[in-house]
Each structure stands twice: as C-alpha cells, then as structure tokens.
Amino acid sequence: MARRIDVVRLATGGSRGTGFLIDGERVLTALHVVGRVDRGLLAFHGPDLVITAAVRDGKLLRFPVCMPAVEDVIFDALLDWACVKIDGALPGVVALPLGELTDSDQGIAWHTYGFPDSSPDDGKATTGTIASLTAALSLGFTRVPAIQLFSREASAGAGGTVRGYSGAPVIIGDQVVGILCAANLNDQTGRSEEGTLYAIPLSLLGIPLPAIECPYPGLRPFATSEATRFFGRSAEITQVLERIRSGERQILIVGPSGSGKSSFVKAGLIPR
C-alpha cells in the first residue's frame, strides 16, 4: 500500500495536488495542479509553489519543504504533465522504481496516495483495479491513450472527492506505471462517478526518465524479495496455503522444468 513517504504534496494558490520523485532531482505531477499555460508560458496558480515531502526519521516523520521557481518547471500542455527540478532540495526522499504496463496488467490491483478534500494535509491512500489499458481521454481538443482505473474509495457512498489526487503515481506492486490526471465527475457534486479515474502511462510522457527496471528476472526464478512482481498464480497460492493451514505436512509442487515451480514457492508461498 502506498504511503505518505512515497509522494509529495504540491500547493499553489487554491490548487492542491500530488507528485512523486522520478529521481533525486525531479518531481513529476499534473500540469493543472501547478498552473496554467498562456501563449506557451507557464504561470503558477498562486505566488509560490510549495512542495512538501515526508521522510521517516526513526519512528516519526519530518516534512522537508522546497519552493521552486516557475523557471524550474518543464511541461507538456497536451498531455498535462509538469516536471519540477528540485536540485536535491528534498534530501532523504526516495524515488519509487518506474515500470511499464503489460497486457497481463489488465484487471490487477493498483494503489496510490494523495491529498483529497477529506484529508488535504495528511493525505490518504486509495486502491482499486485497472479497468482498461486501452482507454482514451480528452485533454482539451485532443484525445490521448490512457489507463482507466477503478478506485474503491472514490466509488464509496455517493462517490468520493478526488480533487487532490491529481498528479499521484499509479503504482502496481512497487513500481510506478502512470500518473493520475482526471476523473469522471458529477457536474453538480464534483464527486467521482462510479469510481472511475484516468491516468497517462509513463511511456507516453516524452521526457527522459531513469532506466525502467524490467519486472521479469529472465530465465532464473523469482526471488522472495520480488514477490510484489509475481502475478498470475493467486488461485493456486490460495489453495496451497489453505492446505498448509489445515495441517498438511507434505505438499508436492510438480511440473515440467521451467514451468515456474521455484518462483511459485519463493515469490508466491514463502512471503505469505
């Protein structure tokens, strides 16, 4: 589950949103969180842009702050992203690893952390599933490829408020694969309809990103430390765990060479 230390809070004028470090020098967020573009020039919504991070210090958190200038921001008005140069101004904040979507990610769980109206200062996590990898989103006069997400918290009750989640990372396992930028909102209440959110895949942003680590270990088996990247055997894992918990002392894992027996045990069973 995403944590406060995984993201940063951005505020300028009356706007509030979320961002995340892509390396020690840059924060990525949604452009509409930080400002508006007129004739190719960016202006913040307020006089200052305040970025607040969270760093674990023993059992407590400390909250370093930086205030970059508008000249420190590069952006893409079409795809609604902004990349803020912070020059190491948030020491101790760790960038999450970046990843790419695959066809097998359809329907699996995702999570993030942001600063909605219900928790504008401390923030809160949200979870859900990936509804579509081939959605389209209208940004201005252009339709761009997007990830359609279902959020359990945004769908609760009459629909949760999602303002403040803009710019948050879409995390699968422990890797960021996209950036939240929009939601289906009720025009009268401003609340999310049916828990539907949209994100832009990192692969479409067109900015230099750190090398994306391949989630697959190649020919070697998955290690226990790679459990968050091991998918596709949930039913079998549950069946074996139930047998173990019922008292069975010996269970054979049988299959052809290379079928994934070691990965199943190391990354599927042992971490649970």
Side-chain angles (χ1 to χ4, degrees), residues 5-272:
I5 61 174
D6 294 326
V7 299
V8 297
R9 181 184 187 273
L10 296 98
T12 173
S15 176
R16 177 186 69 251
T18 308
F20 56 97
L21 269 69
I22 55 176
D23 54 34
E25 306 295 324
R26 298 176 294 171
V27 167
L28 188 63
T29 187
L31 174 61
H32 69 266
V33 168
V34 301
R36 302 180 66 177
V37 177
D38 183 19
R39 299 179 183 178
L41 298 177
L42 173 66
F44 290 154
H45 292 304
D48 298 302
L49 172 63
V50 180
I51 302 178
T52 307
V55 178
R56 191 168 298 283
D57 188 358
K59 294 183 178 180
L60 302 177
L61 294 178
R62 56 184 177 86
F63 299 93
V65 173
C66 69
M67 299 173 62
V70 70
E71 293 80 12
D72 296 321
V73 184
I74 62 172
F75 59 88
D76 186 324
L78 176 62
L79 293 178
D80 191 34
W81 60 259
C83 188
V84 186
K85 188 176 181 182
I86 59 172
D87 285 331
L90 299 174
V93 182
V94 179
L96 292 170
L98 308 181
E100 290 184 292
L101 289 164
T102 66
D103 292 342
S104 62
D105 291 329
Q106 177 77 39
I108 70 171
W110 71 279
H111 55 109
T112 196
Y113 198 100
F115 302 90
D117 291 347
S118 56
S119 188
D121 297 318
D122 297 328
K124 63 191 297 187
T126 186
T127 60
T129 54
I130 294 184
S132 175
L133 299 172
T134 57
L137 177 66
S138 294
L139 293 174
F141 298 102
T142 305
R143 290 178 66 80
V144 299
I147 314 165
Q148 181 182 333
L149 306 164
F150 169 75
S151 165
R152 294 185 182 89
E153 285 74 16
S155 67
T161 54
V162 295
R163 190 175 75 95
Y165 278 116
S166 288
V170 176
I171 307 172
I172 296 177
D174 65 347
Q175 294 187 319
V176 180
V177 298
I179 177 172
L180 283 176
C181 62
N184 276 355
L185 299 180
N186 183 295
D187 292 336
Q188 296 181 335
T189 65
R191 292 176 175 268
S192 173
E193 289 192 337
E194 301 176 350
T196 299
L197 308 178
Y198 293 94
I200 300 297
L202 290 186
S203 57
L204 290 185
L205 298 188
I207 57 175
L209 296 172
I212 294 176
E213 184 180 355
C214 178
Y216 305 107
L219 295 178
R220 69 168 177 82
F222 280 84
T224 301
S225 60
E226 297 168 319
T228 56
R229 304 180 188 179
F230 184 71
F231 298 100
R233 295 289 187 183
S234 298
E236 292 86 350
I237 291 170
T238 300
Q239 291 172 6
V240 174
L241 288 177
E242 288 176 350
R243 292 174 61 182
I244 293 173
R245 290 163 182 162
S246 68
E248 283 196 51
R249 301 295 299 275
Q250 188 177 52
I251 300 172
L252 299 180
I253 308 298
V254 180
S257 176
S259 61
K261 300 184 296 296
S262 296
S263 297
F264 178 77
V265 173
K266 292 179 180 180
L269 291 176
I270 291 176
R272 294 165 174 81

